[in-house]
């Protein structure tokens, strides 16, 4: 009997609190699998955000630390500088990273801090009930934009991977999604590559994961992934955004 | 090759992502029963047709599925 697939040892055996079909659970698995495959579960340090994934520290088997809202990059800066040989990762949503914590992520990238950020972009505020995020698409409805986001009123959505790629300190940025198996496989490769570049001391590494929020998008999980591929991937191009030459 | 698909039924939230990615179309929600959470859990309708591609297990957000073969 050979094992084809089992839950990663990078995760604890706990039930996730996320809604049915939420991409958080899938990305948790990819991060945990990459840590396990690189033999880093015992030494990695994960900095958790505020938002739906505020309890990520309850699920990962590595050491975790909870940052205040948006400040995970500042916490990770200190952790990485004091533990330069260990893998340090922040896991942040779009409310945490692209709204309240924009200054912290921009300055961490500017300084070229040698940790990795996994950025979950689901184009909405999940935990607080579906309010408009900086990443909400034009025309997309939210509880605070019942007629849909309007460019004249709210501006256009922020592309964080491109914005951060203007910083010389950023070594690698890729945008991926987990809406189907081919994209999920690419997402895992991107996360693993970011971890490997971090361990090689390349600089700040950033993986943006376009994610589905079926509950607040008011869709079934299968519909949400289809909508993501048709709409989000059209505005937020998938692929490597920047890879600095060593 | 015999494939063994294990479903941790009480962890399933019935999101159907596994059903949507199965290339052999042999997964379905069990509409005749509910699990401890109150969802109709996913299961396999034709285990003999499984090719052990693990697509269902990879996309399951709640790590419900594990797969072995011999």
């Amino acid at each position: 009997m050979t094992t084809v697939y089992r839950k990663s040892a990078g995760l604890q055996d706990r039930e996730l609190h996320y809604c049915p079909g939420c991409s958080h659970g899938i990305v948790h698995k990819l991060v945990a699998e990459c840590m396990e495959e690189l033999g880093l579960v015992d030494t990695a340090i994960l900095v958790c955000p505020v938002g739906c994934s505020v309890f990520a520290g309850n699920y990962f088997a590595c050491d975790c630390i909870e940052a205040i809202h948006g400040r995970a990059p500042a916490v990770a800066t200190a952790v990485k500088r004091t533990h330069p040989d260990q893998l340090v990762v922040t896991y942040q949503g779009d409310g945490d990273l692209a709204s309240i914590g924009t200054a912290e992520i921009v300055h961490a990238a500017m300084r070229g801090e040698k940790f990795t950020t996994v950025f979950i972009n689901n184009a909405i505020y999940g935990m607080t009930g579906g309010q408009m995020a900086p990443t909400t698409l034009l025309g997309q409805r939210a509880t605070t934009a019942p007629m849909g986001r309007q460019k004249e009123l709210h501006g256009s959505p922020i592309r964080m991977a491109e914005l951060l790629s203007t910083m010389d300190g950023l070594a690698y940025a890729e945008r991926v999604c987990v809406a189907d198996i081919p994209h999920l496989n690419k997402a895992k490769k991107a996360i693993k590559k970011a971890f490997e570049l971090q361990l090689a001391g390349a600089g700040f590494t950033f993986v943006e994961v376009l994610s589905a929020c079926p509950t607040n998008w008011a869709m079934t999980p299968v519909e949400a992934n289809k909508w993501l591929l048709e709409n989000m991937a059209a505005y937020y191009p998938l692929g490597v955004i920047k890879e600095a030459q060593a | 090759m015999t494939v063994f698909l294990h479903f941790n039924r009480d962890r399933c939230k019935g999101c159907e992502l596994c059903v949507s990615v199965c290339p052999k179309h042999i997964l379905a929600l069990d509409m005749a029963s509910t699990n401890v959470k109150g969802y109709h859990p996913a299961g396999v309708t034709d285990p003999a047709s499984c090719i052990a591609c693990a697509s269902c297990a990879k996309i399951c957000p709640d790590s419900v599925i594990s797969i072995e073969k011999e």
Side-chain angles (χ1 to χ4, degrees):
Chain A
M1 191 88 87
T2 53
T3 300
V4 179
Y5 190 95
R6 59 159 176 77
K7 187 174 183 177
S8 169
L11 290 172
Q12 302 182 50
D13 185 26
R14 286 216 175 131
E15 282 183 44
L16 306 183
H17 72 282
Y18 302 114
C19 303
C22 173
S23 299
H24 270 305
I26 305 172
V27 183
H28 278 23
K29 294 203 306 183
L30 298 184
V31 170
E33 286 168 11
C34 290
M35 285 180 180
E36 184 184 8
E37 287 166 22
L38 293 169
L40 299 171
V41 175
D42 290 339
T43 54
I45 302 167
L46 187 77
V47 185
C48 305
V50 169
C52 287
S53 48
V54 67
F55 295 128
N58 288 346
Y59 305 138
F60 283 89
C62 64
D63 281 338
C64 299
I65 182 169
E66 179 61 48
I68 56 171
H69 204 352
R71 276 62 186 182
V75 174
T77 295
V79 173
K80 184 66 181 183
R81 287 185 180 198
T82 50
H83 300 77
D85 298 328
Q86 289 174 244
L87 183 80
V88 178
V89 181
T90 75
Y91 185 103
Q92 300 176 258
D94 43 8
D96 192 78
L97 183 142
S99 188
I100 194 168
T102 317
E104 277 71 19
I105 195 71
V106 167
H107 282 256
M110 180 200 74
R111 297 190 305 269
E113 299 293 346
K114 295 180 178 59
F115 63 84
T116 300
T117 291
V118 177
F119 169 42
I120 305 297
N121 177 1
N122 60 11
I124 205 141
Y125 289 164
M127 185 181 74
T128 49
Q131 292 86 356
M132 183 173 62
T135 45
T136 297
L137 296 182
L138 291 176
Q140 183 184 348
R141 278 191 276 194
T143 53
T144 49
M147 308 304 285
R149 181 175 183 154
Q150 299 168 45
K151 188 175 180 180
E152 301 72 28
L153 196 59
H154 311 112
S156 292
I158 190 167
R159 294 184 180 96
M160 286 307 298
E162 284 83 349
L163 185 152
L164 297 175
S165 291
T166 64
M167 308 285 162
D168 289 349
L170 184 140
Y172 171 68
E174 182 163 354
R175 186 180 287 114
V176 297
C177 75
V178 292
D180 57 26
I181 297 298
H183 284 106
L184 184 149
N185 289 337
K186 278 186 198 164
K188 184 172 172 183
K189 278 186 192 150
I191 293 169
K192 201 170 199 177
K193 184 171 180 178
F195 288 179
E196 287 168 342
L197 284 168
Q198 177 190 153
L199 295 172
F204 180 62
T205 47
F206 186 82
V207 180
E208 176 172 341
V209 187
L210 301 184
S211 302
C213 180
T215 297
N216 287 303
W217 294 359
M219 298 177 193
T220 69
V222 175
E223 286 169 353
N225 276 341
K226 188 164 175 279
W227 186 88
L228 184 155
L229 287 171
E230 289 171 358
N231 297 278
M232 280 189 81
Y235 185 83
Y236 298 108
L238 299 171
V240 177
I241 308 299
K242 178 182 173 186
E243 186 169 3
Q245 299 303 312
Chain B
M1 180 182 75
T2 308
V3 182
F4 299 92
L5 279 168
H6 306 286
F7 287 82
N8 191 346
R9 281 171 56 95
D10 283 339
R11 290 275 171 100
C12 181
K13 295 171 184 165
C15 73
E16 284 193 300
L17 291 182
C18 58
V19 176
S20 74
V21 299
C22 176
K24 304 300 282 183
H25 309 291
I26 55 168
L27 299 180
L29 298 190
D30 178 4
M31 302 307 281
S33 72
T34 52
N35 65 11
V36 71
K37 292 179 189 291
Y39 295 111
H40 296 302
V44 60
T45 55
D46 180 13
S49 298
C50 180
I51 56 171
C53 69
S55 295
C56 55
K58 283 182 184 176
I59 207 154
C60 175
D62 294 284
S63 304
V64 167
I65 305 165
S66 55
I67 307 171
E68 293 174 308
K69 67 177 178 182
E70 67 175 8

